[in-house]
Amino acid sequence: MASLVAFRQLRDVIATQEVLVEKLRRQMAILEENSVSRVEYEAILKKLEKEVEEHAKTKRNLAKESEQLDFALGEIDVLSKQLEREKQAFDNALSSVKSKVLKESIQKDKLKSKCTEIESHIQKQEDILNCKDNEIKELQHFINKQKQTLKKQASDFKIQKQQEYYIAKALGGKTKKSVK
């Protein structure tokens, strides 16, 4: 009976050990599931180191590029201010030129108006001169007619005088002859 009790105790111990072994197997499976092999760990560690190195390199490049960007932004700011000053100077010059052009345009319009007035006055004077020229021509024509009339009258008067002289001479000669 003692062997039976011992057998049962051994069987109970074995059953307990089997339960413990099963429990340990489950824990090991969970651990294996949640853990990584040393080779994988070292590979991941190397990968992580490489990533850290690349991150540092990227960070240096970023700092360098940021510095260049800041420099470029500073240059852009300086150029923008210079461009704004030049634009202001251009706007002022343009405004001055526009003002000058407007004044000159007004002056030109005044001169055109004055020229038109002068041309109109000249045209009136030419019309008056043409009218006077026509009057002069008419008067010259009239004078020429008067000259011809006077010449004719003078000629007729001369002829009449010669006729009277001749008649007087002829009559005077007869009277002298009859008186003798």
Side-chain angles (χ1 to χ4, degrees), residues 6 10 14 33 78 83 89-90 136 156 163-164:
L10 275 176
I14 291 174
E33 234 177 71
V78 167
L83 182 63
F90 175 78
I136 289 171
D156 287 347
Q163 284 176 349
E164 284 177 5

Side-chain angles (χ1 to χ4, degrees), residues 17-152:
Q17 284 179 344
E18 281 180 357
V19 168
L20 282 174
V21 166
E22 186 56 35
K23 197 175 183 185
L24 283 174
R25 269 193 205 132
R26 276 187 268 151
Q27 282 180 348
M28 291 273 292
I30 290 172
L31 280 175
E32 278 182 20
E33 234 177 71
N34 291 334
S35 66
V36 181
S37 71
R38 184 157 192 86
V39 174
E40 283 182 65
Y41 172 76
E42 287 176 0
I44 290 173
L45 190 60
K46 282 182 183 178
K47 196 173 181 182
L48 177 63
E49 287 172 358
K50 190 175 180 182
E51 286 289 324
V52 168
E53 190 179 303
E54 285 182 18
H55 177 71
K57 197 187 271 186
T58 303
K59 201 172 183 179
R60 284 190 302 273
N61 286 342
L62 176 62
K64 193 173 166 184
E65 293 298 321
S66 291
E67 189 178 308
Q68 287 178 349
L69 178 62
D70 289 342
F71 179 74
L73 288 173
E75 282 185 341
I76 287 172
D77 189 42
V78 167
L79 291 173
S80 292
K81 287 177 182 176
Q82 182 180 352
L83 182 63
E84 187 60 35
R85 283 191 304 270
E86 289 177 3
K87 182 181 180 281
Q88 186 65 37
F90 175 78
D91 287 344
N92 290 342
L94 181 63
S95 175
S96 172
V97 167
K98 281 183 178 179
S99 173
K100 192 173 183 179
V101 164
L102 181 63
K103 285 178 185 176
E104 288 179 1
S105 178
I106 290 170
Q107 183 68 22
K108 181 189 81 165
D109 289 344
K110 284 180 182 178
L111 288 173
K112 271 187 174 179
S113 173
K114 203 169 192 175
C115 282
T116 305
E117 254 180 62
I118 290 170
E119 286 175 351
S120 173
H121 183 71
I122 288 172
Q123 186 62 44
K124 285 178 185 175
Q125 292 297 320
E126 284 179 352
D127 289 346
I128 291 170
L129 283 175
N130 286 337
C131 194
K132 297 290 182 187
D133 280 346
N134 289 338
E135 282 181 35
I136 289 171
K137 286 178 184 173
E138 285 177 15
L139 287 172
Q140 283 176 342
H141 183 67
F142 180 75
I143 289 171
N144 286 338
K145 271 187 170 181
Q146 288 292 324
K147 278 183 183 178
Q148 286 175 357
T149 305
L150 286 175
K151 277 183 185 178
K152 188 176 177 192

